[in-house]
Amino acid sequence: DARVTQTPRDKVTEMGQEVTMRCQPILGHNTVFWYRQTMMQGLELLAYFRNRAPLDDSGMPKDRFSAEMPDATLATLKIQPSEPRDSAVYFCASGLGGQTYNEQFFGPGTRLTVL
Amino acid sequence: AQSVTQPDIHITVSEGASLELRCNYSYGATPYLFWYVQSPGQGLQLLLKYFSGDTLVQGIKGFEAEFKRSQSSFNLRKPSVHWSDAAEYFCAVLDQGGSEKLVFGKGTKLTVNP
């Protein structure tokens, strides 16, 4: 059945290294969301795209984070350089946007640990 | 800005017992409200949603929720809990300020005792 996939599922890296997380949205979905989940802050929206164009990235630290959609089947979230405070689970979600509301389907997440 | 409060961080119930998870929201107009469930190591799955109409909403897995405007609440209920319901539950409100941003509560972790 159709589902959002994310890679890698787990990533351990050292402070200062570049981290790239990938998301494959459900085929046909035109909206992709990136969320971050931490114990302290809970689930926060970092950014989201519609038809590959960024609509809102106000939740994303601009100095080190970047999000792109090279094509309709791939969304990436990059952190450069990474810091220990970036340790979190990063979720991608996709949906059919542009209407009153459509369900967001979540991927399994990427657990990032920055040492 | 909208906010969601889930007062209970952790709840433990016995299998077969009834369940109610609390959610309070802060929003001026009629909110769009959601409950999601997250099993360990998994993403979030939508249980149910409320946009308008009947204030008692039925969802998947035998869950229901009731919207009470006077109390700014959207509590999740299940008459008889199964061991497989052990998970973390998130209440969310849709930001209707022009975006599709979901604002989540901090979550309630449910433990089910045999």
Side-chain angles (χ1 to χ4, degrees):
Chain A
D1 61 321
R3 59 183 68 189
V4 176
T5 58
Q6 291 186 246
T7 57
R9 292 294 308 275
D10 281 281
K11 175 73 175 180
V12 180
T13 190
E14 293 188 347
M15 183 173 61
Q17 296 298 304
E18 178 179 300
V19 175
T20 298
M21 290 169 272
R22 294 175 175 81
C23 167
Q24 182 172 18
I26 292 173
L27 190 64
H29 282 184
N30 64 352
T31 308
V32 174
F33 304 82
W34 281 106
Y35 290 89
R36 176 171 62 184
Q37 184 180 38
T38 62
M39 290 292 292
M40 292 299 297
Q41 300 298 325
L43 273 156
E44 306 171 284
L45 179 68
L46 296 175
Y48 79 99
F49 293 74
R50 169 82 37 74
N51 297 322
R52 298 175 56 198
L55 287 191
D56 185 349
D57 61 2
S58 59
M60 198 166 67
K62 303 291 193 306
D63 56 338
R64 298 182 299 107
F65 284 61
S66 61
E68 296 180 344
M69 281 200 73
D71 61 60
T73 65
L74 177 64
T76 63
L77 179 66
K78 188 176 297 185
I79 307 174
Q80 167 63 21
S82 59
E83 296 181 2
R85 59 180 167 151
D86 300 328
S87 297
V89 181
Y90 291 81
F91 288 103
C92 173
S94 73
L96 281 171
Q99 304 178 39
T100 302
Y101 176 76
N102 280 285
E103 180 179 350
Q104 296 181 24
F105 293 82
F106 283 76
T110 294
R111 181 176 298 276
L112 174 65
T113 303
V114 183
L115 303 175
Chain B
Q2 295 92 321
S3 66
V4 176
T5 302
Q6 294 180 247
D8 305 306
I9 296 173
H10 191 184
I11 283 183
T12 300
V13 300
S14 298
E15 191 168 17
S18 63
L19 172 71
E20 182 167 25
L21 302 182
R22 295 184 291 165
C23 172
N24 294 96
Y25 65 89
S26 169
Y27 187 66
T30 300
Y32 290 4
L33 294 160
F34 308 84
W35 275 100
Y36 283 84
V37 60
Q38 183 181 24
S39 299
Q42 302 297 316
L44 279 74
Q45 181 183 23
L46 181 67
L47 284 175
L48 47 79
K49 59 183 182 280
Y50 172 78
F51 287 176
S52 64
D54 192 344
T55 56
L56 186 62
V57 181
Q58 301 297 320
I60 62 171
K61 305 187 180 193
F63 285 92
E64 66 178 27
E66 187 171 13
F67 170 63
K68 293 185 177 180
R69 184 188 300 277
S70 61
Q71 298 177 20
S72 297
S73 69
F74 188 56
N75 294 349
L76 182 71
R77 301 194 294 246
K78 187 168 185 178
S80 177
V81 171
H82 189 262
W83 64 266
S84 60
D85 293 325
E88 189 151 19
Y89 292 80
F90 293 90
C91 182
V93 64
L94 184 69
D95 177 3
Q96 297 182 58
S99 79
E100 295 173 58
K101 175 180 176 179
L102 281 173
V103 177
F104 286 90
K106 292 292 181 69
T108 298
K109 183 176 180 180
L110 174 66
T111 297
V112 180
N113 287 335

